[in-house]
Amino acid sequence: MAKVTERLGGALAFGGDYNPEQWPESVWPEDVSLMQEAGVNLVSVGIFSWALLEPAPGQYDFGWLDRILDLLHAGGIAVDLANASATPPPWLSHRHPESMLVDVDGVTRNYGGRQAFCPSSAAYRDAAAALTTAIVDRYAAHPAVVMWHVHNEYGNHNWSCYCQVSAEAFRKWLQRRYSTLDELNSAWGTTFWSQHYYDWAEVLPPRTPAYQTFANPTQQLDFSRFSSDELLDCYRAEAQIVRDRSGLPVTTNFMQFWKPMDYWRWSQEMDLISNDHYRFAALGPDGATHDLAMAADLVRSLADDAPWLLMEHSTSAVNWQPRNPAKAPGQMRRDSLSHVARGADGALFFQWRASRAGAEKYHSAMLPHAGTDSRRWREVCDLGADIAALADVAGSRTRSRIAIAFDWHSWWGVELDSHPSVDVDQMERVRRWHRLLWQNGYTCDFVHPDRDLSRYQVVLVPALYLCTDDAAANLASFAENGGTVVVGYFSGIVDVDDHIRLGGYPGAFTDLLGIRTEEFSPMLAGDVVPLTVSPDLDYGPPESGEGDPPVGSTWSELIGRVEPDVEVLVSFAGGQWAGEPAVTRRVLAAGRGSVPGSAWYVGTELGTDLLAGLLVKACAAAGVQPVLDMESWPAGFDAVVREDEHTSYLFAFNHGSEAVPLVCEGTDLLTGKPWDTGTSLPPGQVAVVATPLVAAP
Ligand code: GAL
């Protein structure tokens, strides 16, 4: 991102997708002057313009793109230029029907929407490569262009294809993974249900729809891996063409927790990480605000803590949910700046000017249908001024001592069919644990469980059903070296091939946790089981007679063996496992810096107060505190710190309805005024308080 920031004169990026091809050229000069008025300094151009740029195979029409890039440059607006491969033109799909996507039922998904191509199609890949070459050759030296936007939201609509071409590509992928059929047979467990393969040609994508029978689970898991890799290959090929011709940074926009794409792998291939985030109305206002924070925390982690770019969000309503509420006054500002707080060095929108035609004409934009005499436009201009005032923040980092271990392969594995309970959902549990930390003022990263954990003091493992040997060893060594690990139920159950780890659950973690579960018993929807909480847990509200009674739901299990050095913090007080442990903690020998590590296990779905109390307790015991020292974290209050060598930037958001006094001193960059400690942040408001860091003596 630093290279882009430099081209923007050190400013944070502000702008959005700009689709000038949807408008007569006579509108363009007004676009540029209104962009200047709003403080726009970066726009993404050409994302869906393949059909106009290449009207017939190999015939390019770059005239309009030349003119708009020149105009933008003259107006001082930089461009994130797309290679336009996101949606092939109808002529390509029409000439190459084999390039279209086929779903699990064998139905061809025709063109007329977007991304209707098979990721393995040679016709698509060749044409995308030729187009990319032509665009980059023409514009690599254009002074407006500061970065490249390859494709758009890979796999949003075509995350997997079941056609013959894909079947062939899947076999090749499998041959690279398992050099022999014997290895494949063993990994897929094909002795079960007479599935043994004798010839590679017999191997297919999992075309068995779930309503017929259960497809082989490892075949399904491998198909998810293949499908993510296949689109990553498309990205790699196009990015390589760009890199061969231009030194500018290359990205493609992610969709945070998008199940089909393993973004840990994808992130390795980006020059800068960018992301799109939209509020989901169904989550409710607080849930959607939390979702934003969680998404941004993931993206920062994918960027390995480096600044990233918010490529898209919305100024107000979207068009693709069943009901699309507008953002209330102040909501857009809080949303945009929340991304910045969590490491974004820019906030861009979809899109600049609201469309008149097409599927997204009811999607909000920076310039609404109503024009400039509108509240939305005024809020956009105010936000542009806020973003400009935050230039000093560029390059600083948001740091966390807590991380949630997260793995896409585990996600694919845990949500396969024929499991103990349909209620065991990876994202639900990750979301819940992250939200409780967020509501209590802790900043939290995400981390791949195989990667270096040494920057953390606490690693939470709410849901890691599939756990590789490396990940198990990594987490154990983290705890042995003084780290705190908290593991949620139905984690560490299977290995990389989705084979059960034998000898008692959770096989990957039995040694670390000092427990051994014999049997699971998921609970029926709505059922709860009473729990007895040990006074040692000392978790807060119920002691004062407030809060939820301690109950478990969703899941229970028989932890038949507990090592002598393991404390039982919570036990089942009813149900079939009455008297047996439900939550345990083992304190390990003192590790790094003489802090003893600890390994906690949570064997049922705890109520909110108890789970929050437990997580806060685990953090406190590890020496990790909330961002601000407050007696209790106010409802709807969010605070995050970005830091560089010289300055700490406290971003404080009051999404709630009561004023919140802030204990910090410095200058509020948004107003330019001093912030005295104890000054209250009014409801709906944001402050970014810059405080010089005093060098250690
Ligand atoms: C994104 C996409 C944009 C636009 C936007 C609408 O998924 O990248 O092109 O469709 O959604 O919210």
Side-chain angles (χ1 to χ4, degrees), residues 282-306:
L283 293 173
D286 189 49
T289 300
H290 165 253
D291 184 71
L292 185 161
M294 183 173 74
D297 284 346
L298 174 74
V299 178
R300 177 184 68 253
S301 309
L302 291 168
D304 199 16
D305 211 19

Side-chain angles (χ1 to χ4, degrees), residues 472 491-494 500-512 515 517:
S491 294
I493 304 299
V494 297
I500 301 282
R501 292 176 174 278
L502 300 178
Y505 315 118
F509 303 122
T510 45
D511 289 347
L512 170 64
I515 60 164
T517 290

Side-chain angles (χ1 to χ4, degrees), residues 207-230:
R207 286 182 182 146
T208 315
Y211 53 78
Q212 271 179 358
T213 176
F214 302 123
N216 180 301
T218 317
Q219 178 190 16
Q220 295 189 67
L221 182 60
D222 274 346
F223 192 63
S224 296
R225 290 171 169 143
F226 155 78
S227 299
S228 174
D229 281 358
E230 203 62 358

Side-chain angles (χ1 to χ4, degrees), residues 264 297 300-301 399-406 430 433-434 437 442-449 451-462 475 478 484-487 615 619 624:
W264 290 123
D297 284 346
R300 177 184 68 253
S301 309
R399 291 222 170 79
S400 163
R401 297 279 161 234
I402 311 172
I404 290 182
F406 188 90
V430 167
W433 288 36
H434 184 280
L437 291 173
Y442 294 89
T443 306
C444 180
D445 282 358
F446 287 87
V447 67
H448 188 280
R451 302 224 175 127
D452 179 18
L453 304 174
S454 58
R455 74 172 86 150
Y456 302 112
Q457 279 154 274
V458 178
V459 174
L460 304 175
V461 189
L475 287 160
F478 170 72
T484 292
V485 177
V486 186
V487 179
L615 295 175
C619 292
V624 182

Side-chain angles (χ1 to χ4, degrees), residues 34 40 76 201 251 310 321 357 359 368 471 546 564 638 659:
L34 290 176
V40 165
T251 191
L310 177 65
Q321 300 179 25
E546 298 162 17
D638 184 24

Side-chain angles (χ1 to χ4, degrees), residues 6 91 176 249 252 291 302 312 314 320 329 378 408 425 430 446 463 465 480 483 494 583 597 602-603 608 687:
E6 200 185 312
W91 60 252
R176 289 192 295 274
T252 190
D291 184 71
L302 291 168
E312 292 180 21
S314 67
W320 40 262
R378 286 186 285 276
W408 264 264
D425 163 308
V430 167
F446 287 87
Y465 162 73
E480 279 150 17
V494 297
V583 175
V602 182
T608 303

Side-chain angles (χ1 to χ4, degrees), residues 513-516 531-538 557 559-573 577-587 599-603 614:
L513 298 165
I515 60 164
R516 181 173 154 275
L531 301 171
T532 305
V533 183
S534 148
D536 289 351
L537 188 53
D538 171 27
E557 60 184 61
I559 304 178
R561 195 169 78 212
V562 171
E563 297 300 331
D565 61 342
V566 171
E567 296 161 79
V568 175
L569 296 176
V570 178
S571 320
F572 293 110
W577 315 129
E580 300 292 342
V583 175
T584 61
R585 172 176 58 189
R586 179 185 225 179
V587 176
W600 306 50
Y601 183 63
V602 182
L614 182 144

